[in-house]
């Protein structure tokens, strides 16, 4: 396989280069009080090509006008991006044409001083979704689990948008690699560090995953949906860090001082339990089966099936793209 393209490796600032796609549809209530009528909304997914940070916006349709509105909101919050990658959807093609016209008019007004305004739009070949694998992974993470946890519940716009921003915070809190080489400081580097200099945090709330959903108030139902999303998505993400080619490819043993993520179901929100491996226990075949892990909460003994090794900086075998 060839090396990653330049825009995937160079870093100027978060969202300097973005990959964009849409997912949906999702049905919400037409008004705050109207429980009968519903309307369609879609989600625009923006992914930073170098940091894999995610930004989510709601649009009322897949028109060029609706997308341009979401693009303006994105730029107002994340700054101007210099490169955009997308498929050949009509809304993206129309937006590219409209932006080119507006930037040309601006260039004439400023007499050619447009170095800070130039946005280059790249379209992938038709019927080639694998060219946008980075954003497709983010779409899968958002759409698959959100569809399942929302189900038949009809939320209004405000409730759905609140859930979406919490989902965005959870995706941006995922560990990418180790932040420090100090064995006593097993802190992960997350996409949130490139946006907020720290992992995104959320307000605490009660654990509602085991509550009767029919007895919950509406705002509690929204938090239950977020908690269900976190639980389902975390399982998928941790499994992506733990993939093995059974009986076909020999994997390197977990070693002392490796950083691992514990599969801890008791940890909610965007929190992750990380620890350093203090000791390894091998089976009769010489393969590590059990490890002792030192965490800020204490030392635990776990089977390797209950942990996922976090990729280290400079690793020769980084995990596949997963958001």
């Amino acid at each position: 396989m060839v090396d990653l393209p330049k825009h995937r490796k160079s870093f100027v600032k978060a969202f300097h280069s973005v990959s964009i796609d849409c997912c949906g549809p999702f049905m919400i209530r037409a008004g705050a009080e109207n429980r009968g009528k519903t309307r369609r909304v879609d989600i625009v997914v923006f992914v930073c090509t170098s940091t894999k940070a995610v930004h989510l916006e709601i649009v009322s349709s897949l028109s060029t006008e609706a997308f341009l509105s979401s693009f303006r909101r994105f730029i107002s919050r994340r700054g101007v991006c210099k490169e955009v990658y997308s498929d050949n959807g009509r809304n993206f093609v129309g937006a590219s044409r409209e932006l080119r016209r507006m930037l040309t008019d601006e260039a004439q007004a400023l007499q050619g001083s447009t170095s800070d305004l130039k946005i280059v739009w790249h379209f992938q070949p038709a019927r080639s979704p694998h060219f946008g694998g980075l954003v497709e992974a983010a779409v899968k993470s958002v759409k698959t689990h959100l569809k399942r946890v929302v189900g038949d519940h009809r939320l209004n716009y405000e409730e759905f948008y609140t859930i979406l921003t919490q989902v965005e915070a959870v995706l941006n809190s995922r560990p990418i690699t180790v932040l420090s080489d100090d064995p006593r400081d097993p802190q992960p580097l997350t996409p949130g560090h490139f946006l907020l200099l720290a992992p995104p945090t959320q307000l605490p709330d009660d654990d509602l995953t085991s509550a009767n959903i029919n007895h919950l108030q509406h705002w509690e139902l929204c938090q239950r949906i977020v908690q269900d999303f976190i639980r389902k998505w975390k399982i998928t993400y941790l499994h992506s860090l733990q993939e093995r080619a059974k009986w076909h490819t020999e994997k390197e043993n977990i070693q002392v001082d490796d950083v691992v993520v514990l599969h801890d179901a008791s940890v909610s929100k965007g929190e992750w339990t990380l620890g350093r491996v203090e000791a390894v226990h091998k089976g009769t075949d010489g393969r590590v089966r059990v490890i002792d892990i030192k965490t800020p909460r204490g030392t635990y003994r776990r089977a390797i099936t209950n942990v996922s090794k976090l990729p280290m900086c400079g690793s020769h075998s980084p995990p596949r793209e997963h958001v």
Side-chain angles (χ1 to χ4, degrees), residues 190-247:
T190 70
H193 280 85
F194 298 97
L195 305 176
L196 308 171
L197 303 180
T201 56
Q202 301 186 44
L203 293 176
D205 48 42
D206 297 329
D207 184 6
L208 303 172
T209 53
S210 58
N212 188 330
I213 200 168
N214 296 320
H215 297 164
L216 298 178
Q217 300 182 29
H218 215 65
W219 67 271
E220 292 177 323
L221 173 63
C222 295
Q223 291 310 111
R224 166 68 180 269
I225 289 174
V226 173
Q227 292 174 8
D228 287 343
F229 176 92
I230 294 172
R231 177 173 52 85
K232 292 178 181 295
W233 175 79
K234 267 193 173 182
I235 293 174
T236 303
Y237 183 69
L238 290 173
H239 283 177
S240 73
L241 297 177
Q242 197 187 37
E243 290 181 344
R244 300 184 181 90
K246 192 173 183 180
W247 298 316

Side-chain angles (χ1 to χ4, degrees), residues 79-302:
V80 177
C81 54
K82 298 302 182 181
E83 289 186 297
V84 177
Y85 294 82
S86 73
D87 58 28
N88 292 275
R90 292 183 178 181
N91 52 347
F92 299 140
V93 174
S96 173
R97 187 183 303 114
E98 183 64 18
L99 282 174
R100 189 163 55 249
R101 182 194 64 79
M102 289 188 294
L103 294 178
T104 301
D105 294 344
E106 186 72 13
Q108 294 174 354
L110 296 177
Q111 298 179 353
S113 178
T114 60
S115 58
D116 294 334
L117 301 175
K118 186 177 181 181
I119 299 176
V120 181
W121 205 298
H122 305 273
F123 293 101
Q124 65 195 41
R127 301 183 180 180
S128 304
H130 60 284
F131 273 73
L134 183 64
V135 71
E136 293 292 345
V139 166
K140 180 180 178 181
S141 293
V142 174
K143 183 177 180 179
T144 302
H145 300 301
L146 198 57
K147 282 273 189 182
R148 292 173 179 172
V149 297
V150 171
D152 296 329
H153 301 295
R154 291 294 177 257
L155 310 170
N156 60 34
Y157 180 90
E158 181 179 329
E159 294 165 342
F160 188 76
Y161 191 58
T162 302
I163 290 174
L164 200 62
T165 55
Q166 291 181 276
V167 167
E168 176 188 301
V170 171
L171 297 180
N172 287 334
S173 72
R174 67 190 187 279
I176 300 175
T177 185
V178 182
L179 187 60
S180 171
D181 292 332
D182 186 353
R184 297 166 296 179
D185 184 28
Q187 295 299 318
L189 177 67
T190 70
H193 280 85
F194 298 97
L195 305 176
L196 308 171
L197 303 180
T201 56
Q202 301 186 44
L203 293 176
D205 48 42
D206 297 329
D207 184 6
L208 303 172
T209 53
S210 58
N212 188 330
I213 200 168
N214 296 320
H215 297 164
L216 298 178
Q217 300 182 29
H218 215 65
W219 67 271
E220 292 177 323
L221 173 63
C222 295
Q223 291 310 111
R224 166 68 180 269
I225 289 174
V226 173
Q227 292 174 8
D228 287 343
F229 176 92
I230 294 172
R231 177 173 52 85
K232 292 178 181 295
W233 175 79
K234 267 193 173 182
I235 293 174
T236 303
Y237 183 69
L238 290 173
H239 283 177
S240 73
L241 297 177
Q242 197 187 37
E243 290 181 344
R244 300 184 181 90
K246 192 173 183 180
W247 298 316
H248 296 290
T249 305
E250 185 172 348
K251 297 292 185 179
E252 182 182 359
N253 271 330
I254 292 180
Q255 302 175 2
V256 174
D257 283 342
D258 281 346
V259 178
V260 296
V261 185
L262 276 68
H263 299 187
D264 191 351
S266 63
V267 178
S268 60
K269 293 292 184 180
E271 299 177 359
W272 304 81
T273 302
L274 271 68
R276 288 270 180 180
V277 177
E278 282 197 327
V280 297
H281 306 278
K282 297 181 179 180
T284 56
D285 57 355
R287 307 301 297 175
V288 173
R289 307 293 182 187
V290 180
I291 57 177
D292 292 339
I293 310 163
K294 184 177 181 180
T295 72
R297 301 179 181 179
T299 302
Y300 302 95
R301 176 166 293 186
R302 293 288 187 271

